[in-house]
Amino acid sequence: MIKAYGLLIVVFIFSSITSFSTHAYASQKTILVLGDSLSAAYGIPIEKAWVALLEKTLAKQFSDNNHSYKIFNASISGETTDGGLRSLPNLLEKYHPEVVIIELGANDGLRGFPLKTIEKNLAELIHLSQTDGAKVLLTGIHIPPNYGKRYASAFHQLYAKLAEKYQTALLPFLLKGIATNPALMQNDRLHPKASAQETIKNLVWERLEPLL
């Protein structure tokens, strides 16, 4: 009888731990960042990059709630929208994120890819994310007029056009107030310094917070 009673206690404790673990796991949601070097900490320590700073903000904001958010940063320096399309299906299947931050297109524009191709790829990235049940935050970018002002302007307008069509959140320009300030940009004039990362994080957080 004593042995049976002890066994019941062990079973109860094990069940409680399993239930708690399952609840804790289920309550944690994922934010997926699908980006290029602007999100992959190019030229700066990874712990100082805006994605790492955003994770700290999330931990602070939701520390007292019954759920939390974890960021999976799938950003790769040099990534294009084509590469993002190859990676996204597996990432969605693995993480089923609550939100997908799409920070892609800059490398396509710098290489002069056809605007219709860039638009099609970004649209498919949004569609795949939304079909999986994720909310989308699309981050726009400006590119230098290497291929003419008309191309650069039309490229930037793609982001607002797609955000409106697919009803996504939009950060119009990821490097607002940064790209035109040499003191905040690395020598290549394309990548922000560590000192600019807090500003980027704040810009992203302003658009991300309403989605959570």
Side-chain angles (χ1 to χ4, degrees):
M1 181 69 177
I2 294 176
K3 289 184 178 180
Y5 181 71
L7 181 59
L8 285 173
I9 293 176
V10 171
V11 171
F12 174 77
I13 293 173
F14 177 78
S15 299
S16 298
I17 292 173
T18 303
S19 176
F20 175 79
S21 299
T22 302
H23 174 73
Y25 177 80
S27 66
Q28 187 175 66
K29 299 178 181 179
T30 300
I31 296 172
L32 173 66
V33 180
L34 188 68
D36 50 37
S37 56
L38 297 177
S39 301
Y42 179 88
I44 62 173
I46 193 167
E47 68 274 9
K48 294 184 178 181
W50 72 263
V51 177
L53 298 178
L54 179 61
E55 191 153 35
K56 291 180 180 179
T57 296
L58 286 164
K60 181 179 179 180
Q61 292 292 323
F62 294 96
S63 61
D64 297 329
N65 292 3
N66 59 0
H67 65 276
S68 60
Y69 288 90
K70 180 175 179 58
I71 295 181
F72 182 80
N73 190 2
S75 302
I76 302 172
S77 292
E79 187 65 289
T80 61
T81 55
D82 278 330
L85 276 176
R86 289 191 293 270
S87 302
L88 186 57
N90 288 336
L91 292 169
L92 292 174
E93 183 178 358
K94 183 175 182 179
Y95 295 103
H96 294 294
E98 176 82 2
V99 180
V100 177
I101 300 176
I102 300 176
E103 185 276 297
L104 287 173
N107 289 307
D108 302 59
L110 290 172
R111 298 173 190 179
F113 288 2
L115 292 174
K116 288 185 177 180
T117 300
I118 301 172
E119 181 178 1
K120 180 182 177 181
N121 288 348
L122 286 172
E124 184 62 17
L125 289 169
I126 295 170
H127 174 70
L128 287 171
S129 300
Q130 291 180 335
T131 299
D132 194 64
K135 300 171 187 175
V136 173
L137 171 56
L138 187 62
T139 69
I141 196 73
H142 284 285
I143 57 171
N146 296 3
Y147 299 96
K149 292 183 178 179
R150 184 176 179 181
Y151 178 91
S153 177
F155 168 83
H156 179 67
Q157 291 171 14
L158 286 178
Y159 293 94
K161 177 182 177 182
L162 289 167
E164 182 178 3
K165 180 177 181 179
Y166 291 95
Q167 295 297 292
T168 76
L170 173 68
L171 172 54
F173 186 24
L174 184 68
L175 302 182
K176 180 182 178 182
I178 297 169
T180 56
N181 186 347
L184 296 177
M185 298 296 289
Q186 298 181 39
N187 291 335
D188 61 10
R189 296 292 186 266
L190 294 174
H191 298 94
K193 293 180 179 179
S195 56
Q197 300 300 310
E198 181 71 21
T199 299
I200 299 174
K201 185 268 291 184
N202 290 337
L203 289 169
V204 173
W205 175 243
E206 182 181 357
R207 306 298 172 130
L208 175 64
E209 186 178 14
L211 303 180
L212 305 179

